[in-house]
Amino acid sequence: MSSPSTVRHSHFVQTTIGTREKQHLDSTTESYLELLISRVRVRNNEDEVLQSLLQDRSCCSIYLSSYLVERLLQRFEDDWKSALGFFRWAGTRTDYAHTPEAYDKVVDILGKSKQMERMCLLVEEMRERNYVTLKTIAKLMRRLAGAGRYKDAIKMFDDLGTFGLEKDTESMNLLLDTLCKEKRVELAREVFLELKKHISPNAHSFNIFIHGWCKFNRVDEAHWTIQEMKGHGCRPCVISYSTIIQAYCNQSNFRKVYELLDEMQIQGCPPNVVTYTTLMHSLAKSEEFEEALQIYERMKLVGCKPDTLFYNSLIHVLGRAGRLKDAAHVFEVEMPMNNIAPNSSTYNTMISMFCHHSQEQNALNVLKEMEKSTFCKPDLQTYNPLLKLCFRTGKTDSNLSTLLDDMINKHYLGLDLSTSTLLIHGLSRANKCERAYTIFEEMIRQEITPRYQTCRLLLDEVKQKNMYDVADKIEDVMKQMKKSN
């Protein structure tokens, strides 16, 4: 009998070998990927891609796995010619057979690129192999409807039997959902009235219409659908009501919202934390801060537990209402007491709130706490309010430099369009256009196109400093922008 130490040693050796083998397979796969990509990218159409790969001995010697094919198709999901050419080449290999998932992926790529005829031909291939599933049909209907071919999407449902699939509640819901998401709710309604004679709807069928009517801003029809739902023996759920509440909130029709909240309680379908978060956020957006804060009291009365997203919204509302101490209490005391972990948005909301009220040290203290967090790390949204505060207080030397250094060298954050624009505008107005131009140059190098207004502002500033060489370069960028437009 082996001793425990021998067993542990054996397990360690096997694990180490397994890890090495996996690392070797991963590095091999990556080298195969790079080789195939280099042979595919330079071609003009799918036939050229196919011929290039067929004639390349190094490509033909590659071991082709389903995983490798999946990776390549993901890489080419915005390039249908490369994807289809590679897919055709892979299909010629005798040591590999396409999976239904690979077919589905190419169907989706072709549909997204509006290559409808090619997409339909590929589906015919799938039909012959018995590869068509409801997932395939969902992709087809969505892409056809997205291209405005609603009748073809409906015909796809009518032809389900030819694919060996059932016309049932699940497949009907796929069609209804497709049409509603394309804002063709009235057409979906016509289809539903015809189909429900033969196919029984379920709660999801009606929730699809509730979402559809709300998206179409016809909230009364959505509310009426609740009654229709009950008439068919389906019980509305919290999602059904919350969707309508969100729509009424968007209209600032809070009287209707409160009526629905009462109705939910009466129906034994109490609002959940998402419902309350939606309402509190909407009230705050309408600057009804005290009413928004009453939502928390209402929640506590019915025993609904807050989550991270609710607390984020509550902190935001307290900040907007100028109740910074209460917001800090929620963040520092209440959340830990209820075992609710903060996320990036929680920290960012606190930092933004303190910056808005020019409490720089408090904002920096929260930043330090965020840096220690095991749940999240600072991002660009964390730093933007701090950068704005530097410009507002005129601390554009050491403070700004420290923040930028931490962003780039400590947290490895690259500057995006929004942050770069903020910096260029702030530095230009602070009479530091040399630094502003350095950031402008970095944007161009990173192929981030600056806004025309940013170019104009920087150009005016450098001209005032007689920096004519720099002005010429900015004007060249502006000319290129006009050409591309």
Side-chain angles (χ1 to χ4, degrees), residues 84-95:
L84 185 57
F86 166 73
F87 181 79
R88 291 296 183 209
W89 170 76
T92 67
R93 295 283 297 263
T94 56
D95 57 345

PDB file of all heavy atoms in Angstrom, residues 84-95:
ATOM      1  N   LEU A  84     -15.416  32.791 -43.817  1.00  0.00           N
ATOM      2  CA  LEU A  84     -16.016  31.789 -44.702  1.00  0.00           C
ATOM      3  C   LEU A  84     -14.950  31.025 -45.479  1.00  0.00           C
ATOM      4  O   LEU A  84     -15.034  29.798 -45.647  1.00  0.00           O
ATOM      5  CB  LEU A  84     -17.003  32.464 -45.668  1.00  0.00           C
ATOM      6  CG  LEU A  84     -17.798  31.533 -46.581  1.00  0.00           C
ATOM      7  CD1 LEU A  84     -18.589  30.503 -45.765  1.00  0.00           C
ATOM      8  CD2 LEU A  84     -18.736  32.334 -47.490  1.00  0.00           C
ATOM      9  N   GLY A  85     -13.922  31.730 -45.955  1.00  0.00           N
ATOM     10  CA  GLY A  85     -12.835  31.066 -46.680  1.00  0.00           C
ATOM     11  C   GLY A  85     -12.119  30.053 -45.808  1.00  0.00           C
ATOM     12  O   GLY A  85     -11.852  28.919 -46.224  1.00  0.00           O
ATOM     13  N   PHE A  86     -11.812  30.455 -44.558  1.00  0.00           N
ATOM     14  CA  PHE A  86     -11.168  29.537 -43.619  1.00  0.00           C
ATOM     15  C   PHE A  86     -12.080  28.350 -43.313  1.00  0.00           C
ATOM     16  O   PHE A  86     -11.633  27.195 -43.279  1.00  0.00           O
ATOM     17  CB  PHE A  86     -10.814  30.276 -42.328  1.00  0.00           C
ATOM     18  CG  PHE A  86     -10.458  29.351 -41.211  1.00  0.00           C
ATOM     19  CD1 PHE A  86      -9.243  28.675 -41.203  1.00  0.00           C
ATOM     20  CD2 PHE A  86     -11.357  29.108 -40.182  1.00  0.00           C
ATOM     21  CE1 PHE A  86      -8.927  27.790 -40.187  1.00  0.00           C
ATOM     22  CE2 PHE A  86     -11.048  28.228 -39.158  1.00  0.00           C
ATOM     23  CZ  PHE A  86      -9.833  27.564 -39.161  1.00  0.00           C
ATOM     24  N   PHE A  87     -13.364  28.627 -43.114  1.00  0.00           N
ATOM     25  CA  PHE A  87     -14.335  27.574 -42.795  1.00  0.00           C
ATOM     26  C   PHE A  87     -14.403  26.548 -43.934  1.00  0.00           C
ATOM     27  O   PHE A  87     -14.427  25.337 -43.691  1.00  0.00           O
ATOM     28  CB  PHE A  87     -15.701  28.219 -42.566  1.00  0.00           C
ATOM     29  CG  PHE A  87     -16.801  27.256 -42.196  1.00  0.00           C
ATOM     30  CD1 PHE A  87     -16.908  26.785 -40.894  1.00  0.00           C
ATOM     31  CD2 PHE A  87     -17.730  26.849 -43.142  1.00  0.00           C
ATOM     32  CE1 PHE A  87     -17.931  25.908 -40.543  1.00  0.00           C
ATOM     33  CE2 PHE A  87     -18.747  25.980 -42.802  1.00  0.00           C
ATOM     34  CZ  PHE A  87     -18.851  25.506 -41.504  1.00  0.00           C
ATOM     35  N   ARG A  88     -14.419  27.042 -45.172  1.00  0.00           N
ATOM     36  CA  ARG A  88     -14.458  26.136 -46.338  1.00  0.00           C
ATOM     37  C   ARG A  88     -13.186  25.286 -46.398  1.00  0.00           C
ATOM     38  O   ARG A  88     -13.235  24.090 -46.697  1.00  0.00           O
ATOM     39  CB  ARG A  88     -14.605  26.949 -47.634  1.00  0.00           C
ATOM     40  CG  ARG A  88     -15.958  27.629 -47.791  1.00  0.00           C
ATOM     41  CD  ARG A  88     -17.062  26.627 -47.887  1.00  0.00           C
ATOM     42  NE  ARG A  88     -18.360  27.221 -48.110  1.00  0.00           N
ATOM     43  CZ  ARG A  88     -19.502  26.687 -47.709  1.00  0.00           C
ATOM     44  NH1 ARG A  88     -19.488  25.536 -47.036  1.00  0.00           N
ATOM     45  NH2 ARG A  88     -20.647  27.264 -47.945  1.00  0.00           N
ATOM     46  N   TRP A  89     -12.052  25.911 -46.139  1.00  0.00           N
ATOM     47  CA  TRP A  89     -10.785  25.174 -46.161  1.00  0.00           C
ATOM     48  C   TRP A  89     -10.779  24.086 -45.085  1.00  0.00           C
ATOM     49  O   TRP A  89     -10.409  22.937 -45.352  1.00  0.00           O
ATOM     50  CB  TRP A  89      -9.618  26.129 -45.945  1.00  0.00           C
ATOM     51  CG  TRP A  89      -8.316  25.416 -45.710  1.00  0.00           C
ATOM     52  CD1 TRP A  89      -7.545  24.796 -46.645  1.00  0.00           C
ATOM     53  CD2 TRP A  89      -7.653  25.235 -44.451  1.00  0.00           C
ATOM     54  NE1 TRP A  89      -6.441  24.240 -46.054  1.00  0.00           N
ATOM     55  CE2 TRP A  89      -6.473  24.490 -44.707  1.00  0.00           C
ATOM     56  CE3 TRP A  89      -7.929  25.622 -43.153  1.00  0.00           C
ATOM     57  CZ2 TRP A  89      -5.592  24.127 -43.697  1.00  0.00           C
ATOM     58  CZ3 TRP A  89      -7.053  25.275 -42.140  1.00  0.00           C
ATOM     59  CH2 TRP A  89      -5.892  24.528 -42.419  1.00  0.00           C
ATOM     60  N   ALA A  90     -11.203  24.432 -43.890  1.00  0.00           N
ATOM     61  CA  ALA A  90     -11.237  23.454 -42.791  1.00  0.00           C
ATOM     62  C   ALA A  90     -12.130  22.277 -43.153  1.00  0.00           C
ATOM     63  O   ALA A  90     -11.841  21.122 -42.804  1.00  0.00           O
ATOM     64  CB  ALA A  90     -11.722  24.121 -41.504  1.00  0.00           C
ATOM     65  N   GLY A  91     -13.221  22.575 -43.904  1.00  0.00           N
ATOM     66  CA  GLY A  91     -14.147  21.517 -44.306  1.00  0.00           C
ATOM     67  C   GLY A  91     -13.572  20.542 -45.317  1.00  0.00           C
ATOM     68  O   GLY A  91     -14.108  19.446 -45.501  1.00  0.00           O
ATOM     69  N   THR A  92     -12.463  20.927 -45.977  1.00  0.00           N
ATOM     70  CA  THR A  92     -11.831  20.008 -46.948  1.00  0.00           C
ATOM     71  C   THR A  92     -10.888  19.023 -46.267  1.00  0.00           C
ATOM     72  O   THR A  92     -10.448  18.061 -46.892  1.00  0.00           O
ATOM     73  CB  THR A  92     -11.021  20.806 -48.008  1.00  0.00           C
ATOM     74  OG1 THR A  92      -9.897  21.446 -47.359  1.00  0.00           O
ATOM     75  CG2 THR A  92     -11.891  21.834 -48.712  1.00  0.00           C
ATOM     76  N   ARG A  93     -10.566  19.272 -45.025  1.00  0.00           N
ATOM     77  CA  ARG A  93      -9.597  18.424 -44.322  1.00  0.00           C
ATOM     78  C   ARG A  93     -10.215  17.071 -43.975  1.00  0.00           C
ATOM     79  O   ARG A  93     -11.331  16.989 -43.458  1.00  0.00           O
ATOM     80  CB  ARG A  93      -9.132  19.128 -43.039  1.00  0.00           C
ATOM     81  CG  ARG A  93      -8.342  20.411 -43.290  1.00  0.00           C
ATOM     82  CD  ARG A  93      -6.923  20.103 -43.720  1.00  0.00           C
ATOM     83  NE  ARG A  93      -6.222  19.417 -42.654  1.00  0.00           N
ATOM     84  CZ  ARG A  93      -5.420  20.010 -41.774  1.00  0.00           C
ATOM     85  NH1 ARG A  93      -5.198  21.304 -41.863  1.00  0.00           N
ATOM     86  NH2 ARG A  93      -4.815  19.320 -40.833  1.00  0.00           N
ATOM     87  N   THR A  94      -9.481  16.017 -44.256  1.00  0.00           N
ATOM     88  CA  THR A  94     -10.003  14.661 -43.986  1.00  0.00           C
ATOM     89  C   THR A  94      -9.903  14.294 -42.511  1.00  0.00           C
ATOM     90  O   THR A  94     -10.591  13.381 -42.053  1.00  0.00           O
ATOM     91  CB  THR A  94      -9.216  13.620 -44.817  1.00  0.00           C
ATOM     92  OG1 THR A  94      -7.816  13.758 -44.521  1.00  0.00           O
ATOM     93  CG2 THR A  94      -9.458  13.813 -46.307  1.00  0.00           C
ATOM     94  N   ASP A  95      -9.053  14.992 -41.769  1.00  0.00           N
ATOM     95  CA  ASP A  95      -8.845  14.670 -40.355  1.00  0.00           C
ATOM     96  C   ASP A  95      -9.682  15.550 -39.423  1.00  0.00           C
ATOM     97  O   ASP A  95      -9.467  15.581 -38.218  1.00  0.00           O
ATOM     98  CB  ASP A  95      -7.368  14.821 -39.985  1.00  0.00           C
ATOM     99  CG  ASP A  95      -6.841  16.226 -40.283  1.00  0.00           C
ATOM    100  OD1 ASP A  95      -7.509  16.974 -41.029  1.00  0.00           O
ATOM    101  OD2 ASP A  95      -5.757  16.587 -39.771  1.00  0.00           O
TER     102      ASP A  95
END
